[in-house]
Amino acid sequence: MPLARWCILLLLACCPGLAAAEGMASLTGVPGDAARGRAIVVTRQRGLCLLCHSGPFPEERFQGDLAPSLAGAGSRLTEAGLRLRLVDGKRLNPATIMPSYYRTEGLVRVGPAWQGKTVLTAEEIEDVVAFLLTLRD
Amino acid sequence: MKRALLAFPLALPLALLLAGGAAAEPPQSGFALMAPETQAMQRDDTANPGMLWVQEGEALWAQSGCTGCHGDAPGSMRGAASRYPAWDATRQAPIDLAGRIEQCRVDRQGAAPLEREGEPLLALSAYVAHQSRGLPIDPPEDPRLAPARALGEALFRERRGQLDLSCAQCHDDNAGRRLGGSPIPQGHPTGYPLYRLEWQGLGSLQRRLRNCMAGVRSEPYAYGAPEYVAIEAFLMVRARGLALETPAVRP
């Protein structure tokens, strides 16, 4: 039903807040693996999350304080909302310092090793989302 | 005399008040955020590894014939580093201190060029900059530098790399907070060339800038690129008044 779809698009365009509620559908159609997701979140080279965030990771000595704690992220946000923030949080807050983990356009002077590549793969995004959903208050 | 003395304490707060609009916080050197052991290492010349390069530079100064034109560096080079990058009339472009040293060697002495990040040029730069240790950064009022400073500021504010971050987002907006384990300094060029524990050696400001650029997964410019001179020209204005520390020590 094209009319209903147009209405939704119009609503989304008018109220960016709704996009947050809306979030984003799975990138792979396959549920992610929370254990792999945790490993990605705590690695400096892959996830980079703890450069900015802290969280319930008592074994990790160096955690950042540039961003809210990841503790309780799974209670505060829906699966779709978490995914949207990982894929491209700039759609919600263009000024955010959080990198867009699944975006390649609109970037400046990307190093040759990273050109055309997303920070995480679609599978990795789903793994991280699955893990964040387990972080409940 | 008596009146002048009395007027001074009154005039100073007023001047600060008037200047207050420009910068929200007073600039602070990265030194202030370091662990006490690292600070102690920088303060003590016998423990500061950077002093080895300064000594090497002193020997090179004499051997390379710099004395012929400039005499003794402690006299002639005092204050030089606090004024760079400066306008270079021959090239019609701003030039940084290492660039000027190279220009003297190659154009005036007919010597073979030195590698930009090689030990001899680092040592000479460290020796010359060391003569300004303790002096405030004092960028020249030279309108010809304005375009480079503007370009430097634009590059400082431009988001870059796969992680899409600008220098300003870390060094203006998040200075003092922790990126992983490291406190983010305000990013002032007070101590270069400096000894970095992570490098196990002396490195230039350009090496530091390349590290920050690679950190956000962007492509650094080649050593000696005009973009670095432009960024330095902006950083020096931003750091006006901070004391030079060469050779500083950083984690």
Side-chain angles (χ1 to χ4, degrees):
Chain A
M1 38 182 128
L3 189 65
R5 186 168 282 180
W6 271 111
C7 288
I8 291 176
L9 280 180
L10 205 72
L11 263 172
L12 286 178
C14 301
C15 337
L18 273 184
E22 189 80 358
M24 183 177 273
S26 170
L27 302 177
T28 61
V30 182
D33 178 317
R36 279 204 308 255
R38 187 185 197 280
I40 293 164
V41 167
V42 299
T43 47
R44 311 276 136 170
Q45 312 305 326
R46 206 79 202 101
L48 313 161
C49 314
L50 299 190
L51 285 179
C52 297
H53 291 274
S54 60
F57 314 104
E59 78 283 9
E60 293 296 326
R61 279 181 60 215
F62 299 117
Q63 306 191 11
D65 65 3
L66 311 187
S69 167
L70 293 178
S75 342
R76 284 193 297 277
L77 293 160
T78 62
E79 177 188 328
L82 287 168
R83 187 179 292 108
L84 179 59
R85 279 169 181 77
L86 279 170
V87 165
D88 189 8
K90 278 151 207 164
R91 293 188 211 169
L92 303 174
N93 172 13
T96 186
I97 56 168
M98 176 152 159
S100 302
Y101 278 84
Y102 200 69
R103 194 185 94 189
T104 51
E105 338 76 62
L107 302 173
V108 174
R109 271 191 88 84
V110 176
W114 316 102
Q115 265 165 34
K117 296 189 183 128
T118 56
V119 182
L120 294 178
T121 65
E123 290 71 25
E124 288 171 322
I125 298 272
E126 293 307 320
D127 293 343
V128 172
V129 168
F131 169 63
L132 293 175
L133 277 172
T134 69
L135 298 179
R136 304 196 160 261
D137 279 331
Chain B
M1 188 63 198
K2 208 171 170 189
R3 254 180 73 193
L5 278 175
L6 272 175
F8 182 66
L10 289 175
L12 192 66
L14 187 68
L16 286 176
L17 216 95
L18 290 174
E25 296 159 20
Q28 182 195 57
S29 161
F31 179 87
L33 297 176
M34 298 198 305
E37 312 84 74
T38 324
Q39 291 185 341
M41 186 188 275
Q42 175 173 325
R43 275 205 194 98
D44 176 0
D45 280 352
T46 61
N48 182 339
M51 287 308 288
L52 295 173
W53 279 264
V54 170
Q55 280 153 23
E56 174 68 19
E58 182 172 13
L60 283 172
W61 177 271
Q63 284 161 30
S64 331
C66 311
T67 324
C69 289
H70 299 289
D72 285 342
S76 65
M77 292 295 126
R78 188 156 170 78
S82 54
R83 299 189 297 265
Y84 271 75
W87 184 254
D88 176 26
T90 18
R91 282 201 237 159
Q92 289 290 303
I95 190 167
D96 65 356
L97 191 59
R100 180 71 88 198
I101 295 172
E102 257 309 74
Q103 191 181 47
C104 274
R105 291 185 59 266
V106 176
D107 295 3
R108 304 218 171 91
Q109 299 184 301
L114 292 173
E115 216 183 298
R116 183 83 201 194
E117 201 64 14
E119 299 293 312
L121 189 52
L122 282 174
L124 274 171
S125 306
Y127 179 58
V128 171
H130 180 61
Q131 308 309 322
S132 301
R133 186 164 69 170
L135 293 180
I137 289 179
D138 186 19
E141 302 285 342
D142 185 340
R144 293 169 301 179
L145 293 170
R149 287 170 177 161
L151 171 64
E153 176 161 13
L155 293 171
F156 189 80
R157 302 200 181 286
E158 178 175 54
R159 300 179 76 140
R160 64 179 65 228
Q162 193 197 37
L163 302 185
D164 200 25
L165 286 164
S166 70
C167 318
Q169 283 178 305
C170 281
H171 293 293
D172 281 345
D173 304 345
N174 286 290
R177 299 217 178 98
R178 283 186 177 270
L179 183 71
S182 328
I184 302 179
Q186 290 177 6
H188 295 301
T190 47
Y192 292 85
L194 58 69
Y195 187 87
R196 200 157 178 247
L197 300 174
E198 192 187 302
W199 294 335
Q200 297 279 300
L202 203 79
S204 68
L205 176 64
Q206 295 195 5
R207 184 168 177 194
R208 172 69 257 176
L209 300 184
R210 289 169 65 87
N211 277 196
C212 281
M213 289 175 184
V216 298
R217 301 183 176 175
S218 80
E219 188 178 356
Y221 309 101
Y223 275 115
E227 284 87 351
Y228 290 131
V229 182
I231 292 176
E232 181 176 359
F234 168 67
L235 289 180
M236 289 294 271
V237 172
R238 189 168 164 269
R240 187 192 298 279
L242 284 180
L244 283 169
E245 300 163 42
T246 310
V249 176
R250 291 290 182 271

